Amino acid sequence: MDARDRLIVALDVPSVKDAESMVTRLGNSASFYKIGYQLGLAGGLPFAAGLIAAGKHVFLDFKLHDIGNTITHGVASVANMGATFLTVHAYPQTMKAAVEGARGSKLKVLAVTVLTSYDNDDLAAAGYKLGVSELVARRAEQARDLGIDGLVCSPEEAANLRGIVGSKLALVTPGIRPAGSAAGDQKRIMTPAKAIAAGADYLVVGRPIVEAADPKAAADAIVAEITEAKNKGN
Ligand code: C5P
């Protein structure tokens, strides 16, 4: 796989106009874009369809969770749109229904095991008996057994999760910060090279690219780092 296709640029911008201008500035330096609620619910879906028509890959980070029938049909709609990645919460019913909705398409369903803003106290308050690490491990096993295509995880979890899911599932990691860039609100960060060495298949990068003075140069530098890390690993 081309190193460029491992970089997913998080288009966390408020409007389609901002997104269009970022995509134009990045040109061929980015081939994969993540669209979340902010842009998706502000006209970002027709925009995403346009990106796909222009040959880009799109990751819809909508973290779906609902009854199985609703998930299957919703995921089928995303598959028909031609998206490459879609996130769902890692509940067994939801994952099973999502796999069903994506069947026969090129859409890959990614599961979010436990939101990284949750700690053990948050899980207890929500009624869970398991702590974060046990719940992440259980849900990773369930995702693997239900035919999910990949997991979203922090780069620190990547090596451990690789041990649970093997090489079949893609590991997609946010929390990436090239050396010297601001952490912002991310607490557990890793450089692109370290994340690849830890087993990440795809890196999700937002602010270090979209808020850079020269986003194209920032993206090119990350791709170069991915290439180097991959060459070292082989
Ligand atoms: O700007 P930054 O590089 O921190 O953006 C990371 C992207 O990954 C954001 O879109 C954020 O919502 C997403 N994300 C994350 N941590 C998670 C899951 C998703 O930062 N655990």
Side-chain angles (χ1 to χ4, degrees), residues 10-12 34 61 63 112 114-117 152-154 174-177 183 185-186 204-208 210:
L11 275 177
D12 295 328
K34 180 171 92 75
D61 190 9
K63 298 186 179 70
V112 177
V114 175
L115 290 170
T116 46
S117 59
V152 179
C153 62
S154 81
I176 303 297
R177 289 294 179 270
D185 57 358
Q186 295 281 14
V204 176
V205 186
R207 287 161 290 182
V210 301

Side-chain angles (χ1 to χ4, degrees), residues 11-34:
L11 275 177
D12 295 328
V13 294
S15 70
V16 169
K17 202 164 157 270
D18 292 317
E20 280 168 350
S21 104
M22 184 51 58
V23 169
T24 303
R25 287 184 80 177
L26 286 168
N28 288 334
S29 294
S31 65
F32 212 145
Y33 288 98
K34 180 171 92 75

Side-chain angles (χ1 to χ4, degrees), residues 207-232:
R207 287 161 290 182
I209 292 175
V210 301
E211 291 182 1
D214 185 345
K216 191 174 169 64
D220 287 342
I222 293 171
V223 171
E225 212 180 310
I226 294 173
T227 306
E228 205 187 316
K230 273 280 161 200
N231 288 342
K232 261 191 204 153

